């Protein structure tokens, strides 16, 4: 308890201003519903939580796959790891939706770019399958001369006899999924707070809720989306989720030695808290339309929108490439000259920027102001400089990563969105492969918990 005898706020993920005994109980939950999906339809699973304690925001969902026959070196895209399987994530309390994020894997790719390289290499590749880290590729025989850089997962590059290019970086054996050894396919996890923005700032007081709490995950179809494959593997085979390995590791936290949690519940029978959610908007595009300029209305009228995130992607990237559909294409570079880019956001009858932003360096700075520092190289972000190595990962050239992480992020400053909604103005010299424009709007929501019943509404 606090010095005045009151119970501190146990829901907010912040430091509790008192010493309080805590107990942790862990349950390994099976999905109550599971559908594998097929080549033409999505997979699905649902977990139902027990109404006890506080749900720890870093509880995990465990997932594993087995690739089809003839695939012996399946791995996960380095920028998203096991997250590339998940298409949509929904958190429900009763019949109310607390968080619902469509195109979740693409949002996860943007957020994953904010992780330091060393964290990816030393931790994330073991827990989530992400290993987007870079190292210098030194000239043979030199310890100081590096003409390029490439991916770094802790293994040495395999150089052909005589040192002829290209070299090859293998995925660690323990991280590969092999159809011939299904029992040795790795299991990775996804953090609950990564799935649901609500849990970034709050814990769920499950014991205070008198309604069922469900987590619903929608998975991509079985062919082309769930993993990457090495050179020579068959891209037409189905990748199946291992049913016995799907688990929700729920950590329940209990506070105090006596009846502190009961006192907290009695003192907070009617409480509310704010959080954010993401609304995605997809639009089919092509290089011609992008060249002449696109004005995309993403809606969100009468809502408090904090940020916008936009990508233009190549949905043709698939299993046979290093990364999948979770990419963001940059304007094309022709003979070392960057392509044209014009970007702005309009709402409430005014533009966010007084003139269209036409410089990739400034766009990177705006993204940093909005989201934080992306740990991306200039090549990976805007396809400029072109120092990415021609060496390979699992037999696939790493140059494919050039210009595949071009994310547009904007922190909005003009208040609540009016009746006309938000408009994204975008034009540029994008590659011919550009075919999908995705925009995420981060907007404010409010949840109230009164006598065990949840209500959710927009701020």
């Amino acid at each position: 308890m606090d010095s005045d005898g009151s119970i501190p706020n146990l829901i907010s993920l912040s430091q509790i201003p008192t010493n309080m005994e805590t107990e942790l109980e862990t349950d390994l939950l099976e999905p109550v519903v599971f559908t594998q999906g097929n080549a033409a339809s999505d997979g699905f699973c649902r977990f139902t939580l027990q109404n006890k304690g506080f749900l720890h925001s870093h509880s995990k969902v465990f997932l594993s796959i087995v690739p089809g026959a003839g695939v012996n070196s399946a791995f996960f895209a380095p920028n998203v790891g096991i997250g590339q399987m998940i298409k949509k994530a929904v958190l429900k309390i009763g019949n109310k939706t607390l968080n619902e994020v469509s195109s979740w894997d693409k949002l996860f790719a943007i957020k994953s770019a904010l992780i330091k390289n060393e964290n990816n290499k030393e931790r994330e590749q073991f827990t989530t399958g992400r290993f987007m880290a870079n190292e210098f590729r030194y000239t043979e025989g030199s310890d100081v001369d590096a003409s390029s850089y490439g991916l770094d997962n802790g293994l040495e590059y395999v150089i052909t006899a005589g040192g002829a290019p290209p070299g090859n970086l293998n995925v660690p054996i323990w991280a590969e999924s092999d159809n011939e050894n299904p029992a040795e396919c790795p299991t990775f996890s996804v953090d609950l707070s990564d799935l649901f923005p609500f849990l970034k700032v709050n814990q769920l007081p499950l014991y205070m809720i008198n309604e069922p709490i469900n987590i619903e995950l929608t998975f991509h179809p079985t062919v082309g989306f769930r993993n990457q494959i090495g050179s020579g593997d068959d891209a037409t085979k189905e990748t199946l989720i291992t049913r016995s390995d799907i688990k929700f590791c729920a950590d329940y936290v209990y506070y105090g030695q006596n009846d502190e949690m009961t006192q907290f519940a009695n003192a907070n029978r009617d409480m509310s808290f704010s959080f954010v959610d993401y609304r995605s908007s997809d639009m089919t595009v092509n290089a011609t339309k992008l060249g002449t300029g696109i004005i995309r209305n993403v809606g969100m009228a009468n809502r408090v929108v904090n940020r916008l995130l936009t990508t233009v992607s190549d949905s043709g990237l698939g299993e046979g490439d290093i990364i999948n559909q979770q990419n963001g294409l940059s304007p094309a570079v022709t003979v070392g000259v960057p392509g044209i880019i014009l970007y702005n956001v309009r709402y409430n009858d005014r533009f966010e920027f007084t003139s269209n932003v036409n410089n990739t360096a400034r766009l990177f700075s705006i993204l940093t102001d909005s989201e934080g520092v992306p740990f991306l190289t200039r090549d990976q972000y805007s396809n400029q400089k072109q120092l990415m190595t021609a060496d390979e990962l699992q037999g696939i050239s790493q140059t494919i990563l050039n210009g595949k992480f071009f994310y547009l992020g904007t922190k909005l400053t003009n208040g609540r969105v009016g009746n006309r909604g938000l408009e994204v103005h975008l034009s540029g010299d994008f590659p011919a492969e550009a075919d999908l424009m995705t925009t995420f709007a981060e907007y404010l929501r409010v949840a109230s918990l009164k006598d065990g019943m949840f209500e959710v509404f927009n701020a």
Side-chain angles (χ1 to χ4, degrees):
M1 294 186 181
D2 289 343
S3 57
D4 60 358
S6 62
I7 304 297
N9 185 357
L10 301 177
I11 291 180
S12 177
L13 286 179
S14 57
Q15 184 175 359
I16 298 175
T18 183
N19 291 326
M20 182 174 287
E21 181 178 316
T22 61
E23 293 184 7
L24 185 67
E25 177 183 330
T26 300
D27 286 346
L28 209 56
L29 304 179
E30 298 278 348
V32 296
V33 177
F34 173 73
T35 303
Q36 184 70 252
N38 55 44
S41 63
D42 298 331
F44 177 82
C45 77
R46 176 186 295 126
F47 297 96
T48 298
L49 279 61
Q50 299 184 53
N51 297 60
K52 60 182 184 180
F54 287 84
L55 178 65
H56 198 288
S57 292
H58 292 300
S59 300
K60 313 287 185 185
V61 176
F62 293 122
L63 297 168
S64 180
I65 62 165
V66 174
V71 178
N72 301 318
S73 58
F75 62 99
F76 294 109
N79 60 327
V80 286
I82 192 73
Q84 78 175 86
M85 295 171 52
I86 302 174
K87 186 177 183 179
K88 182 179 180 180
V90 181
L91 176 60
K92 289 184 176 180
I93 298 179
N95 60 354
K96 280 83 67 176
T97 298
L98 196 60
N99 273 142
E100 180 177 3
V101 184
S102 299
S103 300
W104 178 88
D105 52 328
K106 293 186 177 182
L107 178 64
F108 189 54
I110 299 174
K111 298 297 184 180
S112 296
L114 307 177
I115 300 176
K116 295 179 180 179
N117 280 198
E118 54 267 31
N119 286 356
N120 277 331
K121 176 184 174 181
E122 298 172 6
R123 183 179 188 276
E124 293 299 324
Q125 73 166 323
F126 302 101
T127 58
T128 65
R130 292 178 287 188
F131 59 97
M132 197 67 197
N134 299 296
E135 68 172 358
F136 289 118
R137 298 293 297 125
Y138 290 100
T139 303
E140 187 176 4
S142 174
D143 294 331
V144 294
D145 182 18
S147 59
S148 63
Y149 56 84
L151 292 177
D152 177 18
N153 62 5
L155 298 185
E156 295 288 339
Y157 278 73
V158 178
I159 306 300
T160 56
N168 183 63
L169 178 66
N170 291 315
V171 172
I173 294 176
W174 57 262
E176 289 183 340
S177 296
D178 185 350
N179 174 265
E180 298 179 356
N181 297 288
E184 297 182 7
C185 292
T187 298
F188 293 106
S189 65
V190 180
D191 199 288
L192 204 60
S193 64
D194 288 331
L195 287 168
F196 306 114
F198 174 88
L199 296 173
K200 287 284 189 184
V201 294
N202 299 296
Q203 296 186 104
L204 270 178
L206 301 183
Y207 78 106
M208 296 173 60
I209 302 173
N210 298 329
E211 300 177 277
I213 302 103
N214 293 312
I215 293 172
E216 298 179 351
L217 301 178
T218 301
F219 302 109
H220 282 290
T222 57
V223 177
F225 301 99
R226 293 183 176 179
N227 59 270
Q228 309 306 109
I229 59 175
S231 177
D233 283 342
D234 191 344
T236 65
K237 301 297 184 180
E238 285 191 315
T239 297
L240 302 182
I241 300 170
T242 306
R243 171 62 182 82
S244 59
D245 287 343
I246 300 182
K247 300 285 191 297
F248 176 55
C249 183
D251 291 330
Y252 304 100
V253 183
Y254 299 87
Y255 295 95
Q257 295 178 301
N258 300 308
D259 62 344
E260 284 88 348
M261 289 179 58
T262 301
Q263 293 181 45
F264 179 81
N266 292 334
N268 295 276
R269 292 187 177 277
D270 186 357
M271 60 190 307
S272 61
F273 24 82
S274 61
F275 62 99
V276 300
D277 203 357
Y278 288 88
R279 177 67 57 85
S280 69
S281 174
D282 291 337
M283 178 182 184
T284 301
V285 297
N286 56 48
T288 302
K289 291 180 180 178
L290 288 164
T292 57
I294 286 176
I295 300 176
R296 173 61 170 167
N297 191 306
V298 297
M300 309 307 293
N302 300 314
R303 298 185 185 182
V304 179
V305 180
N306 301 322
R307 294 175 176 85
L308 280 183
L309 293 166
T310 299
T311 66
V312 175
S313 57
D314 173 12
S315 59
L317 291 178
E319 285 183 329
D321 303 294
I322 293 179
I323 59 175
N324 211 291
Q325 297 193 7
Q326 304 83 17
N327 62 82
L329 296 182
S330 70
V333 175
T334 306
V335 196
V337 179
I340 296 172
I341 177 76
L342 297 173
Y343 169 75
N344 214 328
V345 177
R346 179 181 172 88
Y347 66 111
N348 295 348
D349 295 323
R350 56 173 284 188
F351 284 100
E352 183 67 27
F353 308 105
T354 54
S355 60
N356 292 335
V357 182
N358 60 1
N359 182 283
T360 55
R362 189 180 174 208
L363 288 171
F364 187 88
S365 177
I366 293 170
L367 173 64
T368 300
D369 290 340
S370 174
E371 300 299 314
V373 178
F375 289 88
L376 300 169
T377 68
R378 189 177 178 186
D379 280 350
Q380 293 162 355
Y381 181 74
S382 61
N383 199 18
Q384 298 175 25
K385 203 66 176 174
Q386 299 185 345
L387 293 178
M388 195 76 191
T389 182
D391 289 339
E392 299 172 342
L393 175 72
Q394 294 289 96
I396 308 167
S397 175
Q398 295 184 32
T399 56
I400 196 173
L401 299 176
N402 287 339
K404 296 300 191 298
F405 301 87
F406 189 70
Y407 306 133
L408 300 171
T410 307
K411 182 184 292 185
L412 304 183
T413 60
N414 198 22
R416 185 180 295 273
V417 178
N419 292 331
R420 292 184 59 182
L422 283 158
E423 294 178 353
V424 177
H425 294 238
L426 180 64
S427 64
D429 297 330
F430 285 87
E433 297 81 13
D435 59 7
L436 184 65
M437 175 177 168
T438 303
T439 298
F440 294 96
E442 180 189 292
Y443 65 105
L444 193 63
R445 307 195 78 191
V446 176
S448 66
L449 177 59
K450 184 176 182 180
D451 296 327
M453 305 301 290
F454 241 91
E455 294 293 339
V456 184
F457 48 91
N458 298 324

